Amino acid sequence: MSGPKLTALVLFCALALLFGFILSVGVVGGFGGFLTGVIAAAGTGAFIWFADIGKIAFARGFLALGAVFIVVPIVGLAGLGEQVGDVAVETLTTEQSLTEEQFNQLAITSIFASAGLIFGIVVGLILILIGGLMHKRPAPPAPTSDG
Protein backbone atom coordinates (compact mmCIF):
# COMPACT_ATOMS: atom_id res chain seq x y z
CA MET A 1 0.00 0.00 0.00
CA SER A 2 1.41 3.35 -1.02
CA GLY A 3 1.97 6.28 1.36
CA PRO A 4 -0.81 8.56 0.04
CA LYS A 5 -3.28 5.69 -0.01
CA LEU A 6 -2.43 4.74 3.59
CA THR A 7 -2.66 8.38 4.64
CA ALA A 8 -6.09 8.69 3.03
CA LEU A 9 -7.20 5.45 4.67
CA VAL A 10 -6.17 6.53 8.18
CA LEU A 11 -7.35 10.13 7.82
CA PHE A 12 -10.79 9.49 6.35
CA CYS A 13 -11.54 6.45 8.53
CA ALA A 14 -10.75 8.53 11.62
CA LEU A 15 -12.95 11.36 10.36
CA ALA A 16 -15.78 8.93 9.52
CA LEU A 17 -15.54 7.44 13.03
CA LEU A 18 -15.54 10.88 14.63
CA PHE A 19 -18.41 12.37 12.61
CA GLY A 20 -20.44 9.15 12.69
CA PHE A 21 -20.25 9.31 16.48
CA ILE A 22 -20.91 13.06 16.77
CA LEU A 23 -23.88 13.08 14.41
CA SER A 24 -25.63 10.10 16.03
CA VAL A 25 -24.77 10.15 19.75
CA GLY A 26 -27.58 12.55 20.63
CA VAL A 27 -30.26 10.19 19.35
CA VAL A 28 -28.88 6.67 19.87
CA GLY A 29 -26.70 7.18 22.96
CA GLY A 30 -22.99 6.67 23.54
CA PHE A 31 -22.59 3.02 22.59
CA GLY A 32 -24.90 3.32 19.59
CA GLY A 33 -23.01 6.42 18.46
CA PHE A 34 -19.72 4.54 18.74
CA LEU A 35 -21.09 1.62 16.71
CA THR A 36 -22.40 4.02 14.08
CA GLY A 37 -18.95 5.60 13.86
CA VAL A 38 -17.26 2.19 13.55
CA ILE A 39 -19.63 1.13 10.77
CA ALA A 40 -19.06 4.43 8.94
CA ALA A 41 -15.28 4.05 9.31
CA ALA A 42 -15.37 0.45 8.06
CA GLY A 43 -17.38 1.44 4.99
CA THR A 44 -15.05 4.34 4.30
CA GLY A 45 -12.00 2.11 4.68
CA ALA A 46 -13.38 -0.52 2.32
CA PHE A 47 -14.14 2.13 -0.28
CA ILE A 48 -10.63 3.60 -0.08
CA TRP A 49 -8.87 0.22 0.08
CA PHE A 50 -9.66 -0.63 -3.54
CA ALA A 51 -8.41 2.65 -5.02
CA ASP A 52 -5.66 2.33 -7.62
CA ILE A 53 -3.61 5.42 -6.79
CA GLY A 54 -3.30 7.96 -3.97
CA LYS A 55 -5.30 10.69 -5.73
CA ILE A 56 -8.20 8.31 -6.29
CA ALA A 57 -7.94 7.17 -2.64
CA PHE A 58 -8.32 10.77 -1.43
CA ALA A 59 -11.21 11.31 -3.85
CA ARG A 60 -12.94 8.20 -2.53
CA GLY A 61 -12.32 9.42 1.01
CA PHE A 62 -14.16 12.65 0.26
CA LEU A 63 -17.00 10.71 -1.39
CA ALA A 64 -17.32 8.35 1.58
CA LEU A 65 -17.16 11.16 4.13
CA GLY A 66 -19.87 13.01 2.19
CA ALA A 67 -22.02 9.88 2.36
CA VAL A 68 -21.45 9.70 6.13
CA PHE A 69 -22.58 13.31 6.52
CA ILE A 70 -25.77 12.59 4.55
CA VAL A 71 -26.72 9.11 5.78
CA VAL A 72 -26.00 9.32 9.52
CA PRO A 73 -28.38 12.27 10.23
CA ILE A 74 -31.10 10.55 8.20
CA VAL A 75 -30.72 7.39 10.28
CA GLY A 76 -30.69 9.51 13.44
CA LEU A 77 -33.88 11.26 12.39
CA ALA A 78 -35.50 7.86 11.80
CA GLY A 79 -34.46 6.84 15.31
CA LEU A 80 -35.97 10.04 16.65
CA GLY A 81 -39.21 9.20 14.85
CA GLU A 82 -39.23 5.85 16.60
CA GLN A 83 -38.76 7.55 19.98
CA VAL A 84 -41.63 9.96 19.26
CA GLY A 85 -43.81 7.03 18.20
CA ASP A 86 -43.02 5.16 21.41
CA VAL A 87 -43.94 8.20 23.50
CA ALA A 88 -47.19 8.62 21.54
CA VAL A 89 -48.16 4.96 22.01
CA GLU A 90 -47.34 5.13 25.72
CA THR A 91 -49.43 8.29 26.07
CA LEU A 92 -52.39 6.69 24.30
CA THR A 93 -52.27 3.41 26.21
CA THR A 94 -51.92 4.98 29.66
CA GLU A 95 -54.46 7.73 28.87
CA GLN A 96 -52.17 10.28 30.50
CA SER A 97 -51.33 13.45 28.68
CA LEU A 98 -47.78 14.37 27.77
CA THR A 99 -46.19 16.59 30.39
CA GLU A 100 -44.85 19.95 29.34
CA GLU A 101 -41.31 18.84 30.16
CA GLN A 102 -41.59 15.73 27.95
CA PHE A 103 -43.08 17.77 25.13
CA ASN A 104 -40.32 20.40 25.35
CA GLN A 105 -37.65 17.71 25.36
CA LEU A 106 -39.12 16.07 22.25
CA ALA A 107 -39.48 19.43 20.51
CA ILE A 108 -35.89 20.47 21.20
CA THR A 109 -34.54 17.08 20.14
CA SER A 110 -36.58 17.28 16.93
CA ILE A 111 -35.28 20.76 16.16
CA PHE A 112 -31.65 19.73 16.70
CA ALA A 113 -32.11 16.54 14.65
CA SER A 114 -33.64 18.51 11.77
CA ALA A 115 -30.87 21.10 11.91
CA GLY A 116 -28.30 18.29 11.91
CA LEU A 117 -29.98 16.76 8.88
CA ILE A 118 -29.85 20.03 6.92
CA PHE A 119 -26.23 20.62 7.96
CA GLY A 120 -25.33 17.04 7.01
CA ILE A 121 -26.94 17.28 3.60
CA VAL A 122 -25.22 20.57 2.75
CA VAL A 123 -21.77 19.49 3.95
CA GLY A 124 -22.22 16.01 2.47
CA LEU A 125 -23.09 17.35 -0.97
CA ILE A 126 -20.07 19.66 -0.90
CA LEU A 127 -17.78 16.75 0.03
CA ILE A 128 -19.30 14.54 -2.68
CA LEU A 129 -18.78 17.32 -5.23
CA ILE A 130 -15.12 17.65 -4.20
CA GLY A 131 -14.64 13.89 -4.35
CA GLY A 132 -16.36 13.62 -7.70
CA LEU A 133 -14.17 16.31 -9.22
CA MET A 134 -11.03 14.68 -7.80
CA HIS A 135 -12.05 11.21 -8.97
CA LYS A 136 -11.69 12.05 -12.66
CA ARG A 137 -8.95 10.05 -14.27
CA PRO A 138 -6.63 11.86 -16.65
CA ALA A 139 -7.71 11.55 -20.27
CA PRO A 140 -5.55 9.33 -22.44
CA PRO A 141 -3.31 11.25 -24.85
CA ALA A 142 -4.88 12.04 -28.19
CA PRO A 143 -3.52 10.06 -31.12
CA THR A 144 -1.14 12.00 -33.27
CA SER A 145 -1.00 11.74 -37.02
CA ASP A 146 2.51 11.60 -38.42
CA GLY A 147 1.43 11.74 -41.96
Side-chain angles (χ1 to χ4, degrees):
M1 182 177 295
S2 66
K5 186 175 171 182
L6 182 63
T7 303
L9 186 70
V10 170
L11 176 69
F12 285 106
C13 285
L15 288 173
L17 176 67
L18 176 72
F19 288 118
F21 176 77
I22 289 173
L23 293 173
S24 64
V25 71
V27 176
V28 296
F31 185 70
F34 177 72
L35 285 180
T36 302
V38 167
I39 291 169
T44 299
F47 196 50
I48 293 171
W49 183 267
F50 295 105
D52 298 342
I53 57 176
K55 178 184 175 190
I56 300 298
F58 271 93
R60 287 183 178 194
F62 278 110
L63 289 170
L65 199 59
V68 168
F69 267 92
I70 292 174
V71 171
V72 171
I74 291 172
V75 172
L77 206 57
L80 178 66
E82 184 178 336
Q83 289 177 358
V84 170
D86 289 344
V87 169
V89 167
E90 181 182 333
T91 302
L92 290 172
T93 56
T94 61
E95 296 182 4
Q96 294 177 352
S97 64
L98 203 60
T99 65
E100 187 174 336
E101 181 180 319
Q102 289 173 325
F103 178 77
N104 289 340
Q105 182 181 7
L106 281 175
I108 289 171
T109 306
S110 299
I111 289 169
F112 281 127
S114 299
L117 176 66
I118 299 299
F119 172 77
I121 288 174
V122 169
V123 172
L125 288 175
I126 291 169
L127 289 170
I128 288 174
L129 178 66
I130 291 169
L133 292 174
M134 285 179 65
H135 205 279
K136 291 183 180 177
R137 295 191 183 270
T144 59
S145 58
D146 293 337

